Amino acid sequence: MPPSAAQPLPDEAVRSVAAVPGPPRQRDAERTRAEILDVATSEFADRGYAGARVDEIAAKTSTTKRMIYYYFGGKEQLYIAVLERAYKRIRSLEQGLDVEHLDPVQAVRELAGLTFDHHEAHPDFIRLVSIENIHRAEHISRSEALSGLANPVLDVLGRILERGWDAGLFRDDVDALDVHQVISSFCVFRTANRHTWRALFGRDMLDPERRDQQRRVLGDLLVAYLTAR
């Protein structure tokens, strides 16, 4: 007769049951997904959307092409996931910036400095943005996750501007998107045009010896713009 439910299983049976593979643990799935996104970020940034190959991404990870399609659905979905993660990282940093205790001038300098630091440390982000602009944002426009992702930084900037207006410090003919454009223009240009700038003018805009001066230039330009009458 088979053992009753109350009777313990023999050691052999316990080992047999334990050996049966179960579904992948959530932590393992998240780690695998993150690894795929890390490699895919480099591949898309280096080779562009058209040049990147899912086979190559799979070969550089501890997974397979089949698993990449399982996690993301296809090449375009993987590319969109890469863009989403890249944008979410900078938006999260902006949203988490605590500047409410600072005066408006210092607050806007802090936000500009955060963008400066992020863009310099993440050149892949700049290349991805450039690539997506070449494609006229056709992929990013299909992302529901990115449709409202710009709101946090505009909210932070909006609150800074309001405090500047209330204090009589800032001009009132600008909005948060104007300020965001000024900051992004400076920070993106340094990385996106680094090589052509160096070839034409002999200056490396990412030269560590010029870093502090460049960071101050951005803050000075922004404050001069906001306080001009």
Side-chain angles (χ1 to χ4, degrees), residues 132-184:
E132 186 57 11
N133 273 286
I134 290 173
H135 290 277
R136 296 180 172 85
E138 66 175 282
H139 304 100
I140 206 171
S141 63
R142 296 171 188 163
S143 168
E144 294 181 4
L146 292 177
S147 59
L149 203 61
N151 294 336
V153 65
L154 297 183
D155 291 342
V156 172
L157 278 169
R159 290 194 298 271
I160 295 173
L161 288 176
E162 286 177 3
R163 292 197 286 121
W165 294 329
D166 292 342
L169 296 171
F170 292 164
R171 59 194 297 170
D172 59 7
D173 61 343
V174 298
D175 60 20
L177 197 55
D178 292 328
V179 179
H180 183 55
Q181 179 181 349
V182 173
I183 296 172
S184 294

Side-chain angles (χ1 to χ4, degrees), residues 78-136:
L78 174 60
Y79 176 64
I80 291 174
V82 164
L83 291 171
E84 288 175 346
R85 189 177 70 157
Y87 273 100
K88 285 177 180 177
R89 282 177 170 173
I90 178 62
R91 296 291 93 94
S92 176
L93 291 173
E94 292 162 343
Q95 192 172 21
L97 185 66
D98 181 15
V99 294
E100 297 299 327
H101 63 290
L102 300 176
D103 69 80
V105 169
Q106 186 59 35
V108 80
R109 283 184 180 274
E110 286 291 319
L111 182 58
L114 180 145
T115 305
F116 183 98
D117 295 343
H118 172 274
H119 286 15
E120 182 181 79
H122 297 85
D124 281 354
F125 173 73
I126 307 302
R127 287 195 289 270
L128 287 169
V129 172
S130 300
I131 290 165
E132 186 57 11
N133 273 286
I134 290 173
H135 290 277
R136 296 180 172 85

Side-chain angles (χ1 to χ4, degrees), residues 15-26 28-29 67 70-71:
R15 287 193 292 269
S16 177
V17 171
V20 175
R25 291 177 298 178
Q26 183 64 27
D28 292 337
M67 285 302 296
Y70 170 79
Y71 281 116

Side-chain angles (χ1 to χ4, degrees), residues 9-18:
L9 290 171
D11 290 344
E12 293 79 3
V14 172
R15 287 193 292 269
S16 177
V17 171

Side-chain angles (χ1 to χ4, degrees), residues 187-198:
C187 296
V188 170
F189 186 91
R190 288 182 69 238
T191 298
N193 292 49
R194 176 187 188 183
H195 301 294
T196 53
W197 194 263
R198 182 168 52 191

